[in-house]
Amino acid sequence: MDRLLNLFLISLFIFGCSNKKKVSQNDVSNSTFIDSTNFKYFGLEEFNIDKWYEGKVKLKSLTKKQAEKYYQYRLRNSLADTNYYQFYSIQKNTSQQKIITILDGATGRYPDLRMLIYDRKDSLIGFYPVAGIGNDPDLNLKYKVVSKKINDTTYLSTRIDEYGVESDLKNIQRDSTVTKFELELGYMKEAKVLDKKTYKLE
């Protein structure tokens, strides 16, 4: 009787351990997925790349391997091994969800700050621009985008466009577009626009 009881307890213990191991492998993401030493900022409430654009902030560039890891199916293959992508901020880092921002287009004319969101299996489920800046002399156009966090899923973005009319550099017009948007998570999903207004500025 004691022998049967012991065998039952041992088999129960083995089953419990193997089941626990299976759960931890499938349901909990790799804790080393995000290396915090690469990022400049943590838990930002506002997103603005002015200081970086002016050369006042230095960021670490992603290697080709890191670009493949973080951008996954969104990666631009021809630019993966350049300084095109740079680490910016960690917004959230839990076993259930991870949110980071990466500067996209750091060596181009129109850099964007992209928010990348991952599920518990470290799969990319969100990809959204939250800040940007650019200058096109050929079109007499300058623009700037900044965003503010309302909560984990909702943001308020402001874009200011400044442009010359009919190549007259003295006749400058400025527009401001304010967009409230909600992040929609999933493969290739875009943000959902909740409200959008455009204003003429003096």
Side-chain angles (χ1 to χ4, degrees), residues 20-30 120-121:
K20 186 176 181 181
K21 186 177 181 181
K22 188 176 181 181
V23 169
S24 65
Q25 286 177 344
N26 292 335
D27 295 338
V28 180
S29 61
N30 184 354
R120 63 183 182 178
K121 294 182 179 179

Side-chain angles (χ1 to χ4, degrees), residues 31-88:
S31 61
T32 61
F33 181 71
I34 293 177
D35 181 356
S36 63
T37 61
N38 289 321
F39 293 84
K40 181 77 174 177
Y41 303 105
F42 302 88
L44 294 177
E45 298 291 321
E46 296 184 4
F47 304 91
N48 185 340
I49 59 173
D50 268 358
K51 288 185 179 179
W52 169 83
Y53 193 73
E54 294 166 1
K56 297 175 182 178
V57 171
K58 299 297 180 185
L59 304 173
K60 288 185 180 180
S61 296
L62 279 70
T63 64
K64 182 176 181 179
K65 188 174 181 181
Q66 289 169 329
E68 290 170 350
K69 172 183 174 181
Y70 291 117
Y71 268 67
Q72 299 176 17
Y73 60 89
R74 290 279 193 172
L75 182 66
R76 302 178 190 184
N77 291 322
S78 61
L79 301 168
D81 56 352
T82 71
N83 292 329
Y84 192 83
Y85 304 105
Q86 295 182 354
F87 293 103
Y88 200 78

Side-chain angles (χ1 to χ4, degrees), residues 33-184:
F33 181 71
I34 293 177
D35 181 356
S36 63
T37 61
N38 289 321
F39 293 84
K40 181 77 174 177
Y41 303 105
F42 302 88
L44 294 177
E45 298 291 321
E46 296 184 4
F47 304 91
N48 185 340
I49 59 173
D50 268 358
K51 288 185 179 179
W52 169 83
Y53 193 73
E54 294 166 1
K56 297 175 182 178
V57 171
K58 299 297 180 185
L59 304 173
K60 288 185 180 180
S61 296
L62 279 70
T63 64
K64 182 176 181 179
K65 188 174 181 181
Q66 289 169 329
E68 290 170 350
K69 172 183 174 181
Y70 291 117
Y71 268 67
Q72 299 176 17
Y73 60 89
R74 290 279 193 172
L75 182 66
R76 302 178 190 184
N77 291 322
S78 61
L79 301 168
D81 56 352
T82 71
N83 292 329
Y84 192 83
Y85 304 105
Q86 295 182 354
F87 293 103
Y88 200 78
S89 73
I90 296 177
Q91 296 301 121
K92 190 175 183 179
N93 190 8
T94 69
S95 61
Q96 295 299 307
Q97 189 180 70
K98 295 172 174 61
I99 304 174
I100 61 174
T101 62
I102 291 177
L103 198 65
D104 184 324
T107 55
R109 293 171 71 177
Y110 310 106
D112 282 323
L113 184 63
R114 300 272 178 177
M115 180 173 287
L116 290 82
I117 305 172
Y118 307 88
D119 64 13
R120 63 183 182 178
K121 294 182 179 179
D122 300 332
S123 297
L124 183 64
I125 56 169
F127 185 80
Y128 312 96
V130 291
I133 201 163
N135 184 359
D136 191 335
D138 297 332
L139 299 175
N140 294 329
L141 171 68
K142 294 180 182 179
Y143 74 88
K144 176 180 171 183
V145 180
V146 298
S147 292
K148 186 174 182 179
K149 176 182 174 183
I150 298 175
N151 56 48
D152 277 346
T153 59
T154 310
Y155 294 79
L156 193 67
S157 174
T158 302
R159 175 183 172 120
I160 296 177
D161 289 297
E162 182 179 287
Y163 49 92
V165 180
E166 297 177 355
S167 301
D168 182 0
L169 297 179
K170 294 181 181 179
N171 187 5
I172 300 294
Q173 291 189 9
R174 299 172 74 225
D175 293 338
S176 174
T177 303
V178 180
T179 306
K180 185 178 182 181
F181 64 94
E182 184 176 52
L183 306 182
E184 294 202 324

